[in-house]
Amino acid sequence: MSKISFVEGLEVCYKQMYGVVRFVCDEYITVCVRTFPNEKVRDVCLIVYPNQYGLVTLAKESTK
C-alpha cells in the first residue's frame, strides 16, 4: 500500500509514466499522462485503483 496522500495536482510516476493526479476519490485516482491545453476532452488519464497505489511514486522520488 502506498503511503502517499493523493491530492489533485500532485506530480507522480505510474508504471514508468509521468503524470499529474487529476481526480481523487475513495474508489480510485486518475493520473493524466498527456494533456491538450485547448482541448481538455482529449486529455489522456489513467485510472489507478487502490490495489495499484503501490506502483505510484512521487515524481521527484523516481528521479533519484
Side-chain angles (χ1 to χ4, degrees), residues 9-29:
L10 185 65
E11 296 177 2
V12 297
C13 289
Y14 172 65
K15 293 187 176 181
Q16 300 179 351
M17 292 179 277
Y18 167 81
V20 176
V21 175
R22 172 77 59 87
F23 178 78
V24 179
C25 73
D26 292 338
E27 298 174 15
Y28 61 89
I29 63 170

Side-chain angles (χ1 to χ4, degrees), residues 1-2 14 26-28 47-56:
M1 179 66 86
S2 176
Y14 172 65
D26 292 338
E27 298 174 15
Y28 61 89
I47 296 175
V48 182
Y49 293 101
N51 65 335
Q52 300 169 320
Y53 287 175
L55 301 174
V56 179

